[in-house]
Amino acid sequence: MNLEFNKNEDQMKLLISEMNQKLQKIYLGGGKEKIAKQHQKGKLSARERIDFLIDKNSDFLEIGAFVGDGMYKEHGGCPSGGVIVGIGYVQKKQVVIVANDATVKAGAWFPITAKKNLRAQEIAMENKLPIIYLVDSAGVYLPLQDEIFPDKEHFGRIFRNNAIMSSMGIIQISAVMGSCVAGGAYLPIMSDEALIVDKTGTIFLAGSYLVKAAIGENIDNETLGGATSQCEISGVTDYKSKDDKDCLEKIRKIVGKIGAFDKAGFNRIEPLPPKLDQKELLGILSVKNDKPYDTREVIKRIVDDSDLDEYKEDYGKSIICGYARIEGWAVGIVANQRKLVKNKKGEMQFGGVIYSDSADKASRFIAVCNQKKIPLVFLQDVTGFMVGSRSEHGGIIKDGAKMVNTMSNSVVPKFTIIMGNSYGAGNYAMCGKAFDPRIIVAWPTARIAVMGGEQASKVLAQIEASRSKNSTQKIDQEKNDKLLKKISQKYDEQTSPYYAASRLWIDAIIDPQETRKVISMGIEAANHAPIEKKYNPGVLQA
């Protein structure tokens, strides 16, 4: 390996180490003292509950670990949005798990908590996966109630989704393992089956203090809505458990008896590891995203046997399209080529830029994958579509629109890996979050924005200069330099993958070596949902 590779590898390892250090802190939720208090009450922490519930030595794909990172500082923070979400295996069946973290503000719901819960339900609905709720929450975080209560994508949408999932035949199991109060009480009872832990679990529309204030009745929470009351008197809950572990064992037994449902039928054979070492993924990309590289070298370290069957290899070279397998699953890969390449006229093309011929090629490839029922994997490292008079006169908008159209109307599941840049319309065409990828993750090298900080600052500086020409105001160079620096710093902060992950624009930040696992688990999940819609790209036929 050359010096540049070694430099990239060292810098990538530093980024991964930084990511893992952040995660270790996030995994503590509200902190060690709060976890100790959970244990004193005879309760497991949210992460301990998940570890006990899932099959031993099985994979767990966490969604939104960085949600809330750097947000709500004036409220003491909200690690992981106060709720743990992921796809795991229970009795060898894939399920979505949602566990309130009572160490974070007693499991209260912040605005980002609602968004994360809705994402969990979206994953369950798209893939027709059973969903398990481990409930331990004080309800809406009242200081921010106006940002979580009344709107379409707020708290109430969760109960609407409970009802929709029930009509879709998606299995929902809830366990009341702590507080479950007010509107939140509907979630367990709108599930197919509800469990409650004796002495620590309570469920009611209003707690004892509110009951006293509202109607003057004196009653304690356990008598009002504890396990005995709700299992033996009201019949609200279905199973009473003696402690957390007993409750989780009961859930495992329930899941173990679920029958098989129809599958989508995606093609899979015996998996093969890549011929080329996955560890070498760490040295291919420059962490600053400022150096060209051959994206094929990335693909060969992700796909089975390092084997890629390229589609239109010598046409539209700024996008690589091809068939491959990942953990045995057949996939169609659409990847931005970061290497400088020559077009059919012998002209050099910028790496990571989408040209008209590449957009045309990708559109047709996406259509063919839909015909063949092959899931699509998008590998993003894109700065946008090519600009300038030649591109405009050549119809770049039309060709770009066609690519966006075919990708948007794709009926096979889509999975997006943001490796480096993800700027402007390139983010859209390569299946950004707005275009419903089943799973979207980023490497630590990812940068996501309408454009890079340097470009944005230059554009705004040019606008400022243009204004000054039409006025008596003269440009102050020092002031202009400060403006450029301020804009660039702001963009650099907002393009960080952590900024995106905290707001759930992406589902996770991952070590590049985890890419195969994420895609494979994603396709396995998608295979639970048969494709019922026919592919039709509409007016802009591919």
Side-chain angles (χ1 to χ4, degrees):
M1 296 300 173
N2 60 31
L3 183 62
E4 186 66 32
F5 179 96
N6 292 334
K7 181 181 175 183
N8 291 344
E9 183 181 38
D10 289 344
Q11 291 176 333
M12 178 69 90
K13 284 181 176 178
L14 284 173
L15 288 182
I16 293 169
S17 175
E18 177 190 344
M19 177 185 75
N20 288 331
Q21 287 175 25
K22 280 178 172 279
L23 282 172
Q24 291 308 312
K25 186 176 179 181
I26 285 169
Y27 291 161
L28 292 174
K32 292 180 180 179
E33 289 185 8
K34 294 285 181 67
I35 293 172
K37 285 183 179 179
Q38 285 276 98
H39 293 163
Q40 289 167 12
K41 295 176 183 176
K43 298 163 68 176
L44 299 173
S45 70
R47 292 188 181 276
E48 289 169 339
R49 286 166 177 167
I50 292 173
D51 287 343
F52 191 90
L53 176 63
I54 62 176
D55 298 341
K56 301 303 177 222
N57 302 315
S58 66
D59 290 321
F60 180 70
L61 177 55
E62 185 165 351
I63 303 296
F66 288 103
V67 160
D69 181 51
M71 300 171 69
Y72 309 116
K73 291 179 181 178
E74 66 277 23
H75 297 277
C78 188
S80 271
V83 63
I84 318 303
V85 168
I87 301 172
Y89 296 87
V90 176
Q91 301 285 38
K92 297 183 179 180
K93 292 180 173 66
Q94 263 194 338
V95 298
V96 175
I97 301 172
V98 180
N100 298 116
D101 187 350
T103 71
V104 180
K105 292 287 193 295
W109 288 59
F110 282 66
I112 200 68
T113 315
K115 185 173 183 179
K116 188 170 176 180
N117 274 267
L118 290 172
R119 176 65 178 138
Q121 291 182 320
E122 180 181 45
I123 290 170
M125 287 189 284
E126 284 181 331
N127 300 294
K128 295 192 174 177
L129 290 178
I131 185 167
I132 298 169
Y133 307 97
L134 306 180
V135 184
D136 194 346
S137 170
V140 166
Y141 183 63
L142 294 178
L144 297 174
Q145 65 85 25
D146 62 319
E147 298 179 38
I148 186 176
F149 171 65
D151 210 346
K152 182 177 179 180
E153 299 298 329
H154 284 180
F155 195 57
R157 189 76 172 181
I158 290 158
F159 314 128
R160 175 263 190 194
N161 286 352
N162 288 140
I164 296 297
M165 282 191 280
S166 182
S167 72
M168 293 172 67
I170 295 170
I171 295 160
Q172 300 175 82
I173 300 167
S174 291
V176 180
M177 309 185 79
S179 180
C180 183
V181 63
Y186 289 112
L187 185 147
I189 312 313
M190 295 185 77
S191 300
D192 298 301
E193 294 180 280
L195 303 87
I196 187 168
V197 179
D198 195 22
K199 299 296 186 289
T200 57
T202 54
I203 178 170
F204 33 60
L205 290 180
S208 56
Y209 292 132
L210 185 54
V211 167
K212 172 67 174 174
I215 63 173
E217 181 182 3
N218 287 305
I219 190 169
D220 63 89
N221 283 338
E222 181 64 27
T223 306
L224 182 65
T228 299
S229 297
Q230 300 293 25
C231 280
E232 299 178 20
I233 300 173
S234 69
V236 164
T237 49
D238 306 311
Y239 307 94
K240 181 165 71 172
S241 304
K242 63 181 181 181
D243 56 27
D244 278 11
K245 290 183 178 180
D246 181 46
C247 181
L248 296 167
E249 283 287 6
K250 280 189 170 74
I251 294 173
R252 287 183 56 80
K253 288 180 180 179
I254 292 168
V255 174
K257 295 178 178 65
I258 296 173
F261 291 83
D262 292 340
K263 304 277 187 180
F266 300 127
N267 185 287
R268 192 181 198 186
I269 62 173
E270 192 68 26
L272 290 172
K275 281 182 180 176
L276 301 180
D277 195 345
Q278 288 186 81
K279 292 179 182 177
E280 293 172 358
L281 286 170
L282 306 185
I284 296 173
L285 278 72
S286 161
V287 299
K288 293 183 179 179
N289 303 333
D290 59 352
K291 303 276 179 65
Y293 61 89
D294 190 346
T295 305
R296 290 184 185 86
E297 295 304 314
V298 172
I299 295 171
K300 288 175 183 177
R301 288 161 177 81
I302 291 175
V303 302
D304 291 12
D305 207 34
S306 299
D307 184 27
L308 175 70
D309 297 322
E310 278 205 51
Y311 174 83
K312 293 182 183 289
E313 181 177 356
D314 297 318
Y315 175 73
K317 293 183 179 181
S318 73
I319 286 184
I320 297 169
C321 297
Y323 303 105
R325 290 188 182 274
I326 294 177
E327 293 289 348
W329 295 104
V331 297
I333 293 176
V334 181
N336 302 114
Q337 172 60 292
R338 280 301 306 271
K339 182 181 177 182
L340 300 175
V341 295
K342 287 184 179 180
N343 64 15
K344 57 189 176 184
K345 295 179 182 178
E347 300 164 333
M348 292 303 296
Q349 293 185 334
F350 295 108
V353 177
I354 302 175
Y355 291 77
S356 286
D357 53 357
S358 300
D360 174 63
K361 177 171 85 170
S363 298
R364 293 198 57 83
F365 180 71
I366 290 167
V368 173
C369 285
N370 274 269
Q371 290 289 90
K372 294 180 176 180
K373 200 161 76 171
I374 298 175
L376 287 159
V377 175
F378 292 84
L379 301 179
Q380 280 198 21
D381 193 347
V382 57
T383 53
F385 284 85
M386 190 58 190
V387 297
S389 60
R390 180 179 294 185
S391 292
E392 296 293 355
H393 298 166
I396 186 68
I397 296 175
K398 171 175 59 68
D399 292 320
K402 183 165 66 174
M403 182 177 173
V404 170
N405 187 286
T406 51
M407 181 273 301
S408 301
N409 284 296
S410 175
V411 296
V412 296
K414 306 184 290 279
F415 303 89
T416 303
I417 314 294
I418 304 175
M419 305 184 301
N421 298 317
S422 180
Y423 292 156
N427 169 282
Y428 295 166
M430 292 294 293
C431 196
K433 182 64 183 288
F435 296 87
D436 298 324
R438 296 291 177 97
I439 298 289
I440 177 169
V441 298
W443 290 2
T445 42
R447 311 296 292 183
I448 306 163
V450 70
M451 64 178 69
E454 185 180 349
Q455 295 94 323
S457 59
K458 287 179 179 178
V459 168
L460 290 169
Q462 288 173 16
I463 293 170
E464 189 66 28
S466 177
R467 283 176 179 167
S468 68
K469 287 178 183 178
N470 298 318
S471 72
T472 56
Q473 182 183 356
K474 189 178 180 180
I475 299 177
D476 183 316
Q477 190 61 47
E478 186 178 349
K479 182 180 177 182
N480 189 58
D481 290 344
K482 286 182 179 178
L483 177 64
L484 287 175
K485 186 178 180 181
K486 183 179 179 181
I487 294 167
S488 187
Q489 286 177 342
K490 183 178 179 181
Y491 264 76
D492 286 344
E493 177 191 341
Q494 293 183 351
T495 58
S496 160
Y498 295 104
Y499 192 90
S502 70
R503 289 152 180 82
L504 209 54
W505 300 345
I506 54 176
D507 292 318
I509 304 171
I510 65 166
D511 182 329
Q513 298 169 93
E514 297 287 297
T515 303
R516 278 170 58 83
K517 183 189 85 172
V518 169
I519 295 170
S520 177
M521 285 186 69
I523 298 175
E524 183 182 349
N527 199 40
H528 290 87
I531 297 173
E532 298 168 349
K533 184 180 176 183
K534 186 178 179 181
Y535 172 67
N536 179 5
V539 175
L540 296 171
Q541 296 292 328

